[in-house]
Amino acid sequence: MKFIYQDLLNFLNQKPSIESLSEKLFQLGHEHEINDDVFDMEFTPNRGDCLSLNGLARDLNVFFGKAQPFKIFDGNIEQLNLNFKNLSTEACPKISFLEIEIENSVHSYEPYLENYFSLLGNNKVNFFTDVSNYISYELGQPTHCFEADSISKQLVFDYKVCDENFKTLLGSDIHLSGKNCTFSLNGNEIISLAGIMGGVSTACSKNTKRALVECAYFVPEAIIGKTIKYNLTSDAAHKFERGVDIQAQEKVLRRFIEIIKDHATIKTMRFQSFEEGKVERDFIPIDVKKINKILGLELEEEKYLTY
């Protein structure tokens, strides 16, 4: 994954040189190369928490302190009453939706958004999709944007056995087989290979003014292996396979709103969250005596917790 040096600096309290930052990344075990102020990173599969600016800055916090350089929309959002049904809560225990509509014009991209494309070599697609891709880079949570007007029937999520053709938003025709996470209309027409890639029939375009933004947690086991099976390249699947933060959905969608605000006038916005499944959470036990013995320190528990 690639990160812009200046973007990383914005997330840190101290402002180290690119050489110092590189040294600390190697110390943390993050292999990388530097090309024109861009870090090309390699992360081990167990470090999915570092697949974003926010996550990598959290890892660097012990050396440089962590800042929050971005704004999150903190105003009221109307309730969305989406006709949605989750048939497989074990595969998708929590999912949130933001319906957002903008006025006609979109301003030129702000430097932080423009640099994501110009400096990292990413392709622009359309406004809503571009914001979605940037959010994943910044916060590590994939989102998917449907053309809201195309969702005219009940939206259904299911982790089910498939035997049908599906056309991705990139135009690839694939045959779905075995169990897959899917979004469909009325449980029939599959419109998205959930967690991997949306379909062409509900994709946003440059003319889209009203989008339905989906932000979900999919259990890694339901996503792993699908990109290889269908010969697809998917940044979203890469992150879902390694696990994303199930608690971050509202924060991510509120950040989505703020980025939209930077570039367009918002006409309406509505939010709704569905949490119907259970997720086992892991906790690290605190044994300060053991930590002190290993490190040769004499930390008090209160001090230890600040780290």
Side-chain angles (χ1 to χ4, degrees):
M1 185 171 180
K2 295 181 179 180
F3 296 97
I4 300 169
Y5 167 59
Q6 185 58 53
D7 287 347
L8 277 172
L9 282 192
N10 291 339
F11 277 74
L12 302 173
N13 284 331
Q14 299 178 38
K15 307 302 177 187
S17 67
I18 195 168
E19 293 79 14
S20 178
L21 190 56
S22 175
E23 177 188 346
K24 297 305 183 186
L25 285 170
F26 277 120
Q27 188 173 337
L28 289 165
H30 299 318
E31 300 289 332
H32 63 274
E33 295 180 352
I34 302 174
N35 299 299
D36 297 327
D37 288 349
V38 172
F39 287 92
D40 193 347
M41 310 288 299
E42 290 288 342
F43 296 105
T44 54
N46 65 319
R47 293 311 309 270
D49 59 302
C50 290
L51 294 175
S52 67
L53 287 169
N54 193 54
L56 191 55
R58 186 169 50 225
D59 225 33
L60 290 163
N61 168 56
V62 66
F63 299 116
F64 306 116
K66 185 176 179 300
Q68 178 162 308
F70 55 85
K71 294 180 180 179
I72 294 177
F73 180 75
D74 59 1
N76 294 325
I77 309 175
E78 291 183 32
Q79 175 70 23
L80 173 65
N81 295 309
L82 184 66
N83 186 7
F84 171 73
K85 190 171 186 178
N86 188 342
L87 297 178
S88 300
T89 57
E90 74 282 359
C92 178
K94 184 175 181 180
I95 185 168
S96 301
F97 295 93
L98 171 70
E99 184 188 88
I100 187 164
E101 183 177 4
I102 61 172
E103 300 287 358
N104 290 328
S105 60
V106 175
H107 308 153
S108 298
Y109 286 0
E110 292 292 321
Y112 69 87
L113 186 56
E114 182 62 40
N115 288 343
Y116 170 74
F117 297 99
S118 62
L119 298 183
L120 295 182
N122 296 312
N123 294 323
K124 294 179 182 178
V125 183
N126 59 69
F127 178 49
F128 287 106
T129 301
D130 290 349
V131 174
S132 176
N133 290 336
Y134 177 79
I135 283 281
S136 183
Y137 166 69
E138 188 179 76
L139 297 179
Q141 169 69 54
T143 55
H144 179 69
C145 300
F146 296 100
E147 167 69 66
D149 292 338
S150 69
I151 310 297
S152 57
K153 303 174 184 177
Q154 184 181 53
L155 182 63
V156 178
F157 171 81
D158 200 0
Y159 182 43
K160 65 178 183 178
V161 176
C162 301
D163 182 17
E164 58 191 280
N165 294 327
F166 171 70
K167 190 165 188 175
T168 73
L169 53 77
L170 296 180
S172 302
D173 289 302
I174 59 177
H175 183 77
L176 301 179
S177 61
K179 292 196 75 174
N180 299 277
C181 288
T182 65
F183 286 105
S184 62
L185 297 180
N186 282 354
N188 299 316
E189 178 194 352
I190 293 178
I191 60 171
S192 177
L193 189 55
I196 300 171
M197 190 170 293
V200 68
S201 65
T202 56
C204 290
S205 71
K206 293 181 179 179
N207 297 320
T208 298
K209 302 303 177 188
R210 190 166 68 97
L212 180 67
V213 187
E214 165 258 308
C215 182
Y217 175 88
F218 302 111
V219 296
E221 293 77 12
I223 305 298
I224 289 173
K226 297 299 189 296
T227 54
I228 296 174
K229 179 178 181 179
Y230 298 121
N231 192 28
L232 296 173
T233 300
S234 170
D235 176 71
H238 184 77
K239 290 173 179 174
F240 283 127
E241 287 174 348
R242 289 153 177 77
V244 297
D245 183 1
I246 195 172
Q247 301 295 341
Q249 292 178 17
E250 183 172 352
K251 175 183 178 181
V252 167
L253 290 178
R254 285 182 172 273
R255 175 58 179 153
F256 197 104
I257 292 171
E258 194 66 33
I259 295 175
I260 296 293
K261 278 182 58 186
D262 282 347
H263 300 90
T265 300
I266 296 176
K267 190 174 180 180
T268 61
M269 53 185 173
R270 300 180 180 89
F271 170 82
Q272 189 172 10
S273 186
F274 301 84
E275 185 167 6
E276 303 169 295
K278 294 182 179 179
V279 175
E280 295 295 329
R281 292 177 171 83
D282 294 325
F283 296 89
I284 300 174
I286 297 172
D287 187 342
V288 179
K289 289 183 179 180
K290 184 176 181 180
I291 295 296
N292 283 336
K293 184 177 180 181
I294 292 171
L295 298 180
L297 301 175
E298 296 183 356
L299 288 174
E300 297 292 334
E301 182 171 310
E302 182 178 349
K303 182 67 173 177
Y304 168 76
L305 290 174
T306 67
Y307 290 100

